[in-house]
């Protein structure tokens, strides 16, 4: 049996065989022929599985005939699995309904229910018999019509000719954009230096011919997998000093929509300040205004076509500030030409030396060196393997990672070297040749072929996401679990096993972790690896359109116009996965089209994702998706769930995070297999019915809400937490206090025994009345809710009592984060030895903070009783706002960032040797800022008591506003950016500022600049407004040789000059100014 069968069929065989074996072991009433047919199917599956394991593994890429056989077998196995799981679900629901009959008061027509259950049971058993018989017949037909199946245990070798060509027609292997995943920078230093040099060369004649406005374009061009993205990231990092935070990275879709791409660029450039809900013209206007502010570096990664570039987009991006640059990467030279790049850097393959260095980095195990390869007699084999990689970094990296997983012995390494995969070539007429260099495929397939079958299935499933998609790790894990791709191990949760699968794929460089620009990390596939997965998946995976063979369909990011609407009306009636979201969050009727056909055309679904969809409710017909295991309604408008949700007895994941859900029905308690109930940030949720305590398989429950009864429906009680013994992660408990919450019930919750929880948040009811005994009641309640000693984070909000006894317990040795929010009676935080982060808000009786040796981050606000912050030797970041009583800050030797606002009792800041950033707002009592030798950035606002800013040798940025008492600024030899606003008493005595490049002065009445040209010689940008003593004239301006941008108003200009009068708008600007003077009106 060839590996085609191994790769494509082994996982569904294993899953189906498990289902058949389990069904035969169950004590269920099967008609006789059903049991016999199941045993026949079991034997066939066992023979096929054993044959696969016994046969020598051969490469995946085969002729079309072999792939068709694999697809046929998978169709049969999937259908058989559907049949068996539908039967098991029907029987389970019948048993549940029969059990409910014993509760006569809960069933309006018990005899009708009983008869209906019996009828369904009998019907399901006969249907199973007929369907399994049909499955066996389909397998026999395949065997009769296919010599490979007939000769199951003695398949002849695959038809590969002497040149290594694989006969048969290949499918198209599509290619798309790469991602920003981190790659080794080995071997690209010279390329990086050349591009950086080009960026910094402002006087290039070539640039002047091609650039528009102030922007120039440089391109990196090369074949897929050669390292274009890696090189772009190296340049991006290198240019930080030159462009600062105005460096932006955008991954360009393969076929971008012009408006959506501009929206994407605007979001990256402006973040949360961007208004993206507008027309293309308005988007371009916003973007143009942002790009004109200062020079920038914009990376457009992996551009495939340029229709989007024309007209508005080109005009907008090329009209940026002088000195700006755009870096593009592409596989196509004509893209560089059509975008009129001033320089095209063509990337070449690695030399052998570079290839060997990268291979060693990936292949050597921890503690090994190159000498170990010599000692094990494999170095020569390794060198020959590296030469087979043809200098392509992506191939070297994946092959090297594969070798790391193997034992370092000559036999293992020779096996890889001798693999027939290295000889593969594609015929010239293959559609693959047009997009992907043939040299890259053998190395990647070698790595794929080395995976165990369960990792192959998991890797291939990743292609359900669009190219360059940011994949959430936990979401991917739940999807794998829903499809049964995770092998179960005794005593280990499948989620933990799946997490290890991801780590294994990362180690093999088949999946990469990726740092997002906003927060956290995600997973991504390199574009070529995505295409490889999509090719291996064949007709089973599809985007936007589908056929009768499609099992997994993704409509993520697809507009209504692009979707083949016939999908919803029957063409894809065997779907197991359906991703259907609203296009870029906009209102769409696409989800409604599919929801209308749920019961008729999508009854085999295991995964349904309607995230971000504009739907208010699910239809009752959702109950017909009886095999559904994963339902994602996150970020949707769904307000309530139908009672029929209870029929989804196989459901493992229900995600309602960020949705508009308002209440959860009591039928939720019937979802006995639920493992994940996503209720994160569900601000509209007001009522949860009793019944959550029955969900004993729950691993993740973001929010547990204690509720009063609603009419005849009982609300959720705190004691229901008792049986949720498997909870993991972080749990928020809301609705504490009130008549519904009793100390006795809280004790029954047994939080202390839930050792898998790593974080707990307690939300008391902040709207409760302030009875005298209320604080005592809450204290008793919190005592009863003592969490496990294994928690790492704790938040307590709107709590009126004082510290509970367990909070003084030294057993909380893993506690890293503590947040106290509106706890008026909490008096001290002392002696939590393990604490690393502390946030305190509105705790007016809190008097001191001390004895926390590991604390790194401290944020305090509105704590008027706080007077002392003790010695905190590890503290790195401190933020204090509205703490009027604070007068003493202890020794903070490691502090790097300090923000203080509205702390009138503090009069001195100093003695902070590691401080790099200081922000002070509205501290009227502050009069002294002492020596801060490491300070790099200082921002001072409304501090009238400060009259002098001292000498700061490392300071690079100084920003002072509305400090009426300030009259002197000391030496600052490293300052680069200076911003002084509304300083009526400051008389400028500029000392040497050789590094100053940008300066802004506004409403500084006594500032003089007539004799400061030597001190300001490095200025690039100068802005002066409402400074009548500045007396700016051409004599001064001509002595600023590097000045590029000048903005001033008539009040700040000298009325006369020694050479000629200054007439704004008429006198020619100094030659170095570009653009000319901008005269601001008073």
């Amino acid at each position: 049996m060839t590996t085609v069968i191994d790769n494509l069929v082994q996982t569904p065989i294993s899953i189906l065989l498990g289902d058949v074996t389990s069904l035969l072991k169950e004590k269920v009433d099967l008609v006789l022929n059903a049991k016999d047919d199941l045993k026949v199917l079991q034997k066939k599956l066992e023979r096929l599985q054993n044959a696969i394991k016994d046969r020598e593994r051969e490469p995946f890429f085969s002729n079309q005939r072999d792939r068709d056989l694999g697809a046929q077998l998978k169709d049969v196995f999937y259908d058989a699995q559907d049949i068996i799981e539908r039967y098991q679900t029907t029987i389970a629901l019948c048993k549940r309904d029969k059990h409910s009959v014993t509760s006569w008061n809960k069933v309006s027509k018990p005899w009708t229910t009983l008869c209906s259950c019996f009828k369904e049971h009998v019907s399901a058993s006969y249907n199973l018999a007929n369907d399994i018989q049909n499955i066996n017949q389909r397998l026999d037909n395949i065997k009769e019509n296919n010599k490979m199946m007939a000769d199951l245990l003695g398949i002849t070798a695959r038809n590969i000719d002497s040149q290594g060509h694989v006969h048969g027609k290949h499918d198209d292997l599509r290619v798309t954009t790469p991602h920003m995943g981190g790659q080794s920078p080995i071997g690209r230093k010279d390329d990086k230096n050349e591009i950086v040099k080009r960026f910094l060369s402002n006087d290039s004649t070539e640039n002047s011919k091609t650039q528009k406005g102030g922007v120039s374009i440089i391109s990196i061009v090369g074949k897929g997998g050669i390292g274009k993205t890696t090189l772009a990231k190296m340049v991006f990092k290198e240019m930080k000093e030159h462009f600062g935070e105005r460096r932006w990275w955008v991954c360009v879709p393969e076929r971008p929509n012009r408006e959506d791409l501009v929206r994407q660029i605007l979001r990256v450039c402006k973040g949360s300040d961007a208004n993206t809900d507008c027309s293309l013209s308005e988007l371009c206007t916003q973007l143009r205004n942002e790009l004109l502010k200062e020079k920038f570096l914009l990376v457009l990664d992996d551009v495939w076509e340029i229709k989007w570039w024309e007209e508005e987009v080109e005009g907008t991006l090329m009209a940026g500030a002088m000195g700006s640059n755009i870096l593009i990467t592409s596989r196509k030279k004509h893209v560089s030409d059509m975008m009129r790049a001033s320089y095209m850097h063509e990337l070449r393959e690695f030399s052998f030396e570079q290839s060997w260095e990268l291979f060693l980095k990936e292949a050597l195990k921890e503690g090994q060196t190159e000498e170990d390869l010599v000692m094990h007699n494999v170095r020569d084999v390794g060198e020959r393997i590296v030469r087979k990689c043809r200098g392509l970094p992506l191939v070297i990296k994946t092959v090297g990672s594969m070798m790391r997983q193997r034992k370092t012995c000559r036999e293992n390494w020779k096996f890889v070297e001798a693999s027939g995969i290295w000889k593969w070539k594609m015929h010239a007429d293959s559609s693959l040749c047009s997009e992907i260099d043939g040299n890259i495929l053998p190395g990647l397939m070698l790595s794929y072929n080395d995976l165990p079958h369960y990792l192959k299935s998991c890797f291939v499933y990743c292609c359900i996401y669009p190219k360059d998609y940011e994949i959430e790790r936990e979401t991917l894990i739940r999807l794998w679990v829903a499809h049964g791709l995770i092998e179960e191990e005794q005593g280990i949760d499948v989620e933990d096993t799946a997490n290890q699968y991801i780590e294994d794929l990362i180690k093999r460089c088949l999946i990469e972790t990726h740092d997002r620009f906003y927060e956290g990390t995600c997973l991504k596939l390199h574009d070529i690896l995505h295409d490889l997965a999509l090719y291996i998946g064949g007709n089973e995976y599809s985007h936007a359109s589908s056929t009768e063979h499609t099992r997994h369909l993704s409509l993520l990011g697809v507009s209504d116009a692009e979707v083949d609407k016939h999908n919803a009306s029957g063409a894809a009636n065997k779907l197991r996965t359906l991703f259907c979201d609203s296009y870029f969050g906009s209102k769409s009727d696409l989800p409604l089209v599919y929801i209308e056909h749920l019961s008729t055309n999508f009854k085999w679904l295991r995964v349904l994702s309607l995230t971000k969809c504009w739907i208010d409710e699910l239809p009752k017909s959702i109950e017909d998706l009886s095999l559904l295991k994963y339902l994602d309604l996150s970020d949707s408008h769904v307000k309530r769930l139908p009672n029929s949700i209870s029929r989804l007895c196989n459901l493992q994941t229900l995600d309602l995070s960020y949705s508009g859900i308002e209440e959860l029905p009591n039928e939720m308690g019937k979802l006995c297999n639920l493992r994940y109930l996503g209720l994160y940030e569900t601000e509209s949720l007001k009522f949860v019915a009793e019944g959550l305590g029955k969900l004993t398989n729950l691993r993740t429950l973001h929010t547990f809400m204690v509720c009063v009864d609603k009419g005849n429906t009982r609300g959720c009680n705190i004691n229901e937490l008792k049986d949720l013994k498997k909870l993991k992660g972080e749990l928020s408990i809301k609705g504490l206090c009130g008549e519904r919450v009793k100390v006795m019930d809280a004790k029954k919750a047994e939080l202390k025994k839930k050792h898998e929880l790593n974080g707990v948040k307690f939300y008391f009811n902040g709207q409760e009345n302030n009875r005298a005994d209320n604080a005592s009641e809450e204290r008793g309640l919190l005592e009863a809710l003592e969490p496990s000693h294994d928690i790492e984070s704790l938040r307590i909000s709107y709590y009126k009592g004082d510290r509970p006894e367990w909070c003084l317990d030294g057993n909380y040795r893993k506690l890293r984060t503590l947040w106290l929010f509106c706890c008026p009676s909490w008096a001290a935080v002392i002696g939590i030895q393990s604490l690393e982060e502390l946030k305190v808000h509105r705790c007016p009786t809190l008097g001191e903070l001390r004895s926390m040796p590991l604390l790194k981050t401290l944020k305090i606000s509105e704590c008027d009783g706080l007077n002392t912050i003790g010695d905190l030797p590890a503290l790195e970041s401190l933020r204090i706002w509205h703490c009027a009583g604070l007068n003493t800050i202890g020794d903070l030797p490691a502090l790097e960032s300090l923000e203080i606002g509205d702390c009138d009792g503090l009069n001195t800041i100093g003695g902070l040797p590691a401080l790099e950033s200081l922000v002070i707002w509205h501290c009227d009592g502050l009069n002294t800022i002492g020596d801060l030798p490491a300070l790099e950035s200082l921002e001072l606002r409304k501090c009238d008591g400060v009259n002098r800013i001292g000498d700061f040798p490392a300071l690079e940025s100084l920003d002072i506003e509305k400090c009426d008492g300030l009259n002197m600024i000391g030496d600052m030899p490293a300052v680069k950016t200076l911003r002084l606003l509304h300083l009526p008493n400051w008389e400028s005595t500029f000392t040497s500022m050789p590094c100053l490049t940008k300066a802004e002065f506004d409403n500084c009445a006594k500032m003089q600049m007539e004799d400061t040209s030597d001190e300001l010689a490095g200025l690039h940008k100068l802005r002066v407004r409402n400074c009548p003593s500045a007396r700016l004239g051409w004599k001064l301006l001509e002595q600023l040789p590097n000045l590029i941008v000048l903005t001033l108003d008539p009040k700040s200009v000298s009325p006369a000059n020694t050479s000629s009068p200054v007439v704004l708008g008429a006198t020619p600007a100094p030659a170095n100014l570009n653009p000319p003077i901008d005269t601001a009106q008073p």
Side-chain angles (χ1 to χ4, degrees):
M1 180 63 61
T2 70
T3 291
V4 170
I5 305 302
D6 181 359
N7 289 339
L8 295 180
V9 184
Q10 188 168 351
T11 296
I13 286 177
S14 299
I15 296 173
L16 177 57
L17 184 57
D19 288 344
V20 173
T21 303
S22 174
L23 186 58
L24 287 172
K25 288 181 179 179
E26 291 177 5
K27 294 181 179 180
V28 293
D29 298 325
L30 293 171
V31 294
L32 182 62
N33 60 324
K35 185 171 292 187
D36 291 341
D37 286 332
L38 280 171
K39 290 179 178 179
V40 171
L41 178 59
Q42 183 184 35
K43 290 180 179 179
K44 289 180 180 179
L45 293 173
E46 288 173 347
R47 288 184 63 204
L48 187 57
Q49 187 179 59
N50 291 332
I52 290 173
K53 291 179 180 178
D54 291 341
R55 300 301 295 175
E56 181 181 355
R57 297 172 62 176
E58 297 180 20
F60 167 79
F61 275 118
S62 66
N63 56 48
Q64 190 62 39
R65 180 197 60 193
D66 295 345
R67 295 194 69 205
D68 288 344
L69 172 61
Q72 282 182 291
L73 289 173
K74 288 187 78 174
D75 274 343
V76 174
F77 297 147
Y78 280 145
D79 289 346
Q81 188 185 354
D82 290 341
I83 290 165
I84 292 174
E85 289 191 12
R86 180 182 61 183
Y87 172 79
Q88 291 174 318
T89 299
T90 301
I91 299 305
L93 288 173
C94 285
K95 286 183 177 180
R96 194 180 77 184
D97 291 343
K98 282 198 295 185
H99 179 73
S100 69
V101 171
T102 60
S103 302
W104 296 95
N105 59 324
K106 295 184 179 180
V107 180
S108 57
K109 298 179 180 180
W111 291 112
T112 302
T113 301
L114 198 60
C115 292
S116 176
C117 290
F118 178 76
K119 182 179 179 181
E120 284 189 42
H121 194 146
V122 173
S123 176
S125 186
Y126 275 98
N127 288 337
L128 176 68
N130 293 331
D131 290 339
I132 294 299
Q133 190 175 37
N134 182 47
I135 291 295
N136 281 321
Q137 185 60 51
R138 287 169 64 184
L139 285 175
D140 290 340
N141 291 341
I142 293 174
K143 181 178 178 180
E144 291 174 5
N145 296 324
N146 192 289
K147 187 176 185 299
M148 184 179 293
M149 279 290 290
D151 193 19
L152 187 60
L153 300 179
I155 302 302
T156 57
R158 297 172 58 199
N159 187 18
I160 302 178
D161 64 25
S162 59
Q163 300 302 314
H165 293 102
V166 180
H167 293 299
K169 182 179 178 181
H170 292 276
D171 291 347
D172 181 26
L173 191 63
R174 294 161 46 202
V175 184
T176 187
T177 59
H179 55 72
M180 296 169 58
Q183 289 183 319
S184 169
I186 288 175
R188 295 302 186 196
K189 186 176 180 180
D190 291 342
D191 297 281
K192 179 204 70 176
N193 291 340
E194 176 62 27
I195 294 175
V196 170
K197 182 180 75 174
R198 296 274 179 169
F199 275 142
L200 298 178
S201 178
N202 294 324
D203 298 326
S204 170
T205 304
E206 193 175 15
N207 281 353
S208 64
K209 293 178 181 177
T210 56
Q211 71 181 30
K212 293 183 178 182
V215 183
S216 64
I217 298 177
I218 288 178
S219 64
I220 301 173
V221 176
K223 64 182 67 172
I226 204 167
K228 300 182 297 296
T229 300
T230 300
L231 177 58
K233 292 192 72 174
M234 294 171 67
V235 174
F236 190 80
K237 181 179 180 181
E238 184 78 8
M239 300 304 291
K240 181 176 182 180
E241 182 176 351
H242 194 67
F243 291 100
E245 296 303 315
R246 291 182 66 79
R247 297 171 303 135
W248 305 306
W249 186 293
V250 174
C251 298
V252 181
E254 185 176 0
R255 293 181 297 275
N257 173 280
R258 181 178 301 169
E259 184 172 320
D260 293 321
L261 183 56
V262 174
R263 185 176 286 112
Q264 182 183 357
I265 296 173
L266 184 61
R267 284 182 182 139
V268 171
C269 295
K270 296 193 67 174
S272 59
D273 294 333
N275 174 22
T276 56
D277 188 18
C278 54
S279 66
L280 176 61
S281 176
E282 293 170 318
L283 290 170
C284 288
T285 299
Q286 288 186 70
L287 183 57
R288 186 181 296 110
N289 291 339
E290 179 64 29
L291 299 183
L292 280 169
K293 290 180 180 178
E294 293 182 56
K295 64 182 179 181
F296 62 86
L297 170 62
L298 173 63
V299 178
L300 300 175
D301 194 23
D302 209 359
V303 181
W304 276 82
E305 54 93 5
I306 59 166
K307 290 181 181 178
W308 59 272
W309 173 255
E310 300 164 355
E311 301 173 358
E312 300 103 323
V313 180
E314 180 182 9
T316 298
L317 294 181
M318 296 302 291
M322 183 66 65
S324 299
N325 291 278
I326 296 175
L327 176 64
I328 64 171
T329 69
S330 179
R331 300 184 193 180
K332 301 181 178 182
K333 292 183 180 180
H334 86 270
V335 168
S336 175
D337 295 336
M338 297 302 292
M339 292 182 72
R340 291 183 284 186
S342 61
Y343 170 67
M344 181 176 70
H345 189 88
E346 192 166 358
L347 212 52
R348 303 295 180 183
E349 292 85 353
F350 271 5
S351 66
F352 173 77
E353 290 74 19
Q354 293 170 326
S355 300
W356 181 247
E357 183 182 359
L358 178 56
F359 177 79
L360 290 178
K361 180 178 181 294
E362 299 296 336
L364 293 178
K365 298 178 175 65
E366 186 175 355
Q368 281 189 332
T369 66
E370 191 172 353
E371 294 303 317
D372 289 281
L373 302 186
V374 177
M375 183 176 66
H376 289 92
N377 195 25
V378 297
R379 174 171 175 152
D380 60 321
V381 184
E383 289 179 347
R384 291 193 292 272
I385 290 174
V386 169
R387 285 192 167 88
K388 289 175 181 284
C389 294
R390 308 291 183 90
L392 294 168
L394 181 61
V395 178
I396 298 166
K397 193 174 179 181
T398 54
V399 172
S401 299
M402 177 189 70
M403 300 308 294
R404 184 195 292 241
Q405 310 302 317
R406 290 176 168 268
K407 185 178 179 181
T408 309
C409 68
R410 192 170 182 85
E411 181 183 1
N412 276 348
W413 284 45
K414 286 284 290 182
F415 179 82
V416 173
E417 181 198 4
S419 173
I421 296 177
W422 294 112
K423 299 179 181 179
W424 286 355
K425 296 179 182 177
M426 290 180 292
H427 289 291
D429 60 351
S430 172
S431 59
L432 295 175
C433 292
S434 62
E435 299 292 359
I436 298 181
D437 185 273
N439 293 332
I440 202 168
L441 291 174
L444 298 183
M445 279 308 307
L446 192 69
S447 298
Y448 170 79
N449 205 55
D450 191 61
L451 295 173
H453 73 88
Y454 51 85
L455 281 186
K456 289 173 181 172
S457 300
C458 291
F459 168 72
V460 170
Y461 189 80
C462 294
C463 74
I464 188 66
Y465 289 102
K467 316 295 175 54
D468 202 49
Y469 194 88
E470 294 182 347
I471 305 172
E472 297 288 345
R473 177 188 285 248
E474 297 303 319
T475 299
L476 182 61
I477 285 174
R478 294 194 293 273
L479 291 170
W480 286 349
V481 171
H483 286 292
L485 302 182
I486 311 302
E487 294 193 340
E488 296 188 23
E489 298 181 45
Q490 187 67 32
I492 301 177
D493 277 355
V494 287
E495 291 85 357
D496 295 335
T497 303
N499 194 56
Q500 186 56 52
Y501 285 10
I502 289 177
E503 291 301 317
D504 290 344
L505 290 172
I506 291 172
K507 289 177 182 177
R508 293 171 181 266
C509 296
L510 293 174
I511 290 182
E512 293 182 344
T513 56
H514 171 69
D515 293 327
R516 286 182 284 214
F517 75 90
Y518 45 99
E519 66 170 333
T521 61
C522 62
L523 302 174
K524 279 194 174 185
L525 264 67
H526 189 283
D527 58 333
I528 293 178
L529 290 172
H530 185 285
D531 286 333
L532 177 66
L534 192 60
Y535 179 74
I536 294 171
N539 293 332
E540 188 178 335
Y541 293 85
S542 183
H543 297 125
S545 63
S546 64
T547 68
E548 66 274 13
H549 300 294
T550 304
R551 302 282 177 166
H552 309 284
L553 175 63
S554 172
L555 305 177
L556 292 177
V558 179
S559 66
D560 290 11
E562 293 179 87
V563 172
D564 201 350
K565 294 290 180 65
H566 76 277
N567 292 335
S569 58
N573 61 5
K574 292 186 176 182
L575 282 183
R576 290 176 158 225
T577 300
L578 176 59
F579 283 178
C580 183
D581 71 342
S582 289
Y583 187 54
F584 285 97
S586 58
K587 191 168 185 178
S588 165
D589 65 351
L590 185 57
L592 298 176
V593 173
Y594 281 83
I595 288 174
E596 289 172 0
H597 296 85
L598 283 179
S599 60
T600 55
N601 295 331
F602 300 108
K603 59 184 178 181
W604 308 116
L605 277 178
R606 268 59 168 194
V607 170
L608 175 60
S609 177
L610 299 172
T611 182
K612 297 184 177 69
C613 288
W614 290 58
I615 54 174
D616 294 327
E617 60 182 15
L618 290 174
K620 181 181 180 296
S621 60
I622 191 73
E623 67 182 350
D624 295 321
L625 306 184
S626 60
L627 303 186
L628 197 66
K629 296 184 179 181
Y630 179 103
L631 179 58
D632 188 353
L633 300 172
S634 62
D635 263 319
S636 72
H637 289 204
V638 171
K639 296 180 180 179
R640 56 187 55 85
L641 300 173
N643 292 336
S644 59
I645 194 82
S646 65
R647 307 298 290 179
L648 304 182
C649 62
N650 292 301
L651 199 64
Q652 298 172 346
T653 293
L654 175 59
D655 196 351
L656 297 165
S657 299
Y658 299 101
S659 72
I661 193 73
E662 296 176 355
E663 61 181 72
L664 296 181
N666 53 16
E667 284 78 4
M668 290 286 296
K670 297 179 180 180
L671 302 178
C672 56
N673 287 303
L674 202 65
R675 304 172 72 90
Y676 179 96
L677 179 54
L679 295 174
Y680 189 73
E681 295 292 337
T682 48
E683 300 302 327
S684 300
L685 184 62
K686 304 302 179 187
F687 180 75
V688 178
E690 187 179 53
L692 287 189
K694 300 175 184 178
L695 306 180
T696 55
N697 282 307
L698 267 183
R699 267 65 174 178
T700 300
L701 176 63
H702 294 119
T703 302
F704 185 93
M705 180 176 287
V706 182
C707 299
V708 298
D709 297 346
K710 183 179 180 181
N712 294 325
T713 304
R714 290 184 62 82
C716 192
N717 192 300
I718 189 68
N719 62 20
E720 293 194 70
L721 279 171
K722 176 182 179 179
D723 294 325
L724 304 184
K725 302 179 186 298
K726 299 177 181 179
L727 287 179
K728 296 182 176 182
E730 190 173 86
L731 173 66
S732 296
I733 303 177
K734 297 185 177 181
L736 295 173
C737 281
E739 296 180 359
R740 184 65 169 162
V741 187
K742 306 296 184 184
V743 172
M744 182 184 303
D745 291 330
K747 288 180 178 179
K748 292 178 182 178
E750 297 183 347
L751 277 185
K752 191 174 182 179
K753 295 182 180 181
K754 295 177 177 23
H755 298 288
E756 297 288 338
L757 286 176
N758 59 32
V760 179
K761 298 179 180 179
F762 296 109
Y763 291 88
F764 288 78
N765 195 337
Q767 283 70 46
E768 286 290 318
N769 61 57
N770 287 316
R771 302 193 318 267
D773 59 347
N774 198 246
S776 177
E777 290 179 3
E778 293 190 8
R779 164 67 186 268
L781 185 59
L782 192 57
E783 288 283 7
L785 290 172
E786 177 181 359
S788 161
H789 291 165
D790 294 317
I791 62 170
E792 298 176 7
S793 66
L794 173 65
R795 171 172 174 160
I796 303 174
S797 298
Y798 301 108
Y799 169 67
K800 301 178 183 65
D802 58 1
R803 272 190 307 173
E805 290 295 328
W806 53 259
C807 214
L808 302 174
D809 196 332
N811 288 326
Y812 285 91
R813 297 176 181 176
K814 296 182 180 179
L815 190 64
R816 301 286 183 265
T817 302
L818 174 62
W819 191 350
L820 303 175
F821 185 88
C822 293
C823 300
S825 300
W826 204 291
V829 179
I830 301 172
I832 306 178
Q833 300 294 307
S834 60
L835 204 63
E836 296 181 0
E837 181 179 9
L838 173 62
K839 299 180 182 179
V840 185
H841 177 69
R842 289 189 183 178
C843 298
T845 61
L846 184 71
E848 60 177 328
L849 301 169
R850 58 180 173 85
S851 302
M852 290 175 281
L854 299 181
L855 193 67
K856 295 181 179 180
T857 302
L858 175 58
K859 296 182 180 180
I860 312 170
S861 57
E862 298 186 38
C863 297
D864 290 341
L866 181 66
N867 53 65
T868 301
I869 296 177
D871 297 346
L872 300 170
L875 194 67
E876 297 175 356
S877 176
L878 174 59
R879 188 177 190 272
I880 313 169
W881 290 87
H882 303 288
C883 295
L886 180 66
N887 54 50
T888 303
I889 296 179
D891 188 21
L892 309 175
L895 192 67
E896 297 176 355
S897 175
L898 174 60
E899 294 184 29
I900 302 178
D902 286 290
C903 297
D904 294 340
L906 197 64
N907 53 50
T908 301
I909 294 176
L912 302 171
L915 192 67
E916 297 177 356
S917 175
L918 175 60
V919 177
I920 308 174
W921 281 59
H922 212 290
C923 293
D924 292 338
L926 183 68
N927 53 54
T928 303
I929 300 178
D931 293 337
L932 301 170
L935 193 65
E936 296 178 358
S937 174
L938 172 59
E939 182 178 329
L940 199 62
R941 296 275 193 280
K942 297 182 180 180
C943 297
D944 294 340
V946 178
N947 54 47
R948 182 184 186 278
I949 300 295
D951 301 335
F952 301 128
L955 194 71
E956 296 182 359
S957 175
L958 177 62
D959 188 342
I960 306 177
E961 184 175 352
K962 296 182 179 179
C963 295
D964 293 350
L966 184 68
N967 56 49
M968 185 175 180
I969 297 176
D971 291 340
M972 298 178 186
V975 71
K976 296 179 180 178
T977 303
L978 184 64
R979 185 173 182 268
L980 305 177
L981 280 64
H982 300 277
L983 305 179
N985 295 308
W986 175 57
E987 299 181 14
S988 61
T989 53
F990 283 98
T991 56
S992 178
M993 295 184 179
C995 299
L996 188 65
T997 59
K998 186 191 304 183
E1000 179 180 355
F1001 307 97
D1002 194 340
N1003 281 285
C1004 298
K1006 298 182 179 180
M1007 182 191 74
Q1008 299 181 17
M1009 297 189 67
E1010 288 183 303
D1011 302 316
T1012 58
S1013 58
D1014 292 340
E1015 289 77 12
L1016 304 176
L1019 269 180
H1020 291 170
K1021 185 174 182 179
L1022 176 62
R1023 186 176 192 269
V1024 184
R1025 289 174 56 90
N1026 299 315
C1027 300
S1029 300
R1031 304 180 63 81
L1032 286 167
W1034 289 131
K1035 181 179 179 180
L1036 170 63
L1037 296 177
E1038 289 172 345
Q1039 295 176 19
L1040 302 178
N1042 296 301
L1043 193 63
I1044 297 175
V1045 178
L1046 172 64
T1047 304
L1048 50 86
D1049 69 336
K1051 291 183 179 180
S1052 308
V1053 179
S1054 172
N1057 206 11
T1058 55
S1059 56
S1060 61
V1062 177
V1063 182
L1064 294 177
T1067 305
N1072 53 289
L1073 284 181
N1074 186 11
I1077 295 176
D1078 171 19
T1079 53
Q1081 296 302 315

